[in-house]
Amino acid sequence: MKKEVLIYTVSDSIGETSQKLIAAVTVQYPDIIFHNNYRFPFVNHEEQLIEILRDAVKDKAIVVSTLVNAQLAMSARSFAEKTGLQYIDLMNPFFEILQSKTGTAPIQQPGIVHKLNADYFNRISAIEFAVKYDDGKDPHGFA
């Protein structure tokens, strides 16, 4: 009988970072069934966070966090210490090392890695153009 593990992911953005790590880790355990359906993106309020963490304790889940907001991350860490919740923070330990080494604090802006700007939309337009005119059948693309 295979063992099962329930994973909660908590992020103040979309949570893609934690999903990538979980994908890399879970393939190393082919004999374990991972349930990673509990995804909580855009968590920006402490009350919301604590409610999620309480549910994780009830479910005996592992919580993987990518909160960049230092206050939320500290609240989650404190909650985990008090309750015995299995909790891993993927961001703040690295932030702390960088701040210690450089004296520079992170900007704590969620979702910045996925920021949509003019360059992004220009790239999408270029791809759409290439797909539309790549066969050379429509002469409008030559102009």
Side-chain angles (χ1 to χ4, degrees):
M1 184 172 180
K2 287 191 173 190
K3 295 179 183 177
E4 296 186 28
V5 175
L6 181 63
I7 300 175
Y8 277 40
T9 58
V10 179
S11 177
D12 42 15
S13 184
I14 62 173
E16 183 180 8
T17 302
S18 61
Q19 293 305 311
K20 287 180 180 180
L21 174 77
I22 290 168
V25 169
T26 58
V27 296
Q28 299 298 319
Y29 295 90
D31 295 331
I32 297 175
I33 298 169
F34 290 91
H35 300 283
N36 184 24
N37 299 328
Y38 296 91
R39 298 177 185 167
F40 301 94
F42 305 108
V43 175
N44 296 303
H45 302 288
E46 187 173 5
E47 302 80 30
Q48 178 187 19
L49 174 63
I50 298 302
E51 184 178 324
I52 292 165
L53 298 178
R54 283 187 184 128
D55 287 343
V57 169
K58 290 177 195 170
D59 289 340
K60 298 179 181 165
I62 297 170
V63 175
V64 179
S65 166
T66 56
L67 297 166
V68 297
N69 177 295
Q71 184 60 42
L72 288 176
M74 187 171 49
S75 294
R77 195 168 34 243
S78 175
F79 181 93
E81 289 170 3
K82 290 176 188 171
T83 62
L85 175 67
Q86 293 179 317
Y87 172 81
I88 182 167
D89 179 345
L90 299 179
M91 305 298 277
N92 285 279
F94 194 22
F95 289 165
E96 290 166 4
I97 291 170
L98 287 171
Q99 187 167 353
S100 173
K101 187 171 186 72
T102 66
T104 304
I107 60 173
Q108 298 184 35
Q109 184 176 346
I112 197 165
V113 74
H114 304 288
K115 188 175 180 181
L116 303 180
N117 59 25
D119 288 339
Y120 170 81
F121 289 108
N122 288 338
R123 284 193 304 270
I124 296 300
S125 292
I127 292 168
E128 290 171 348
F129 176 86
V131 169
K132 185 174 181 180
Y133 297 109
D134 68 343
D135 60 5
K137 292 180 182 178
D138 186 348
H140 291 90
F142 298 136

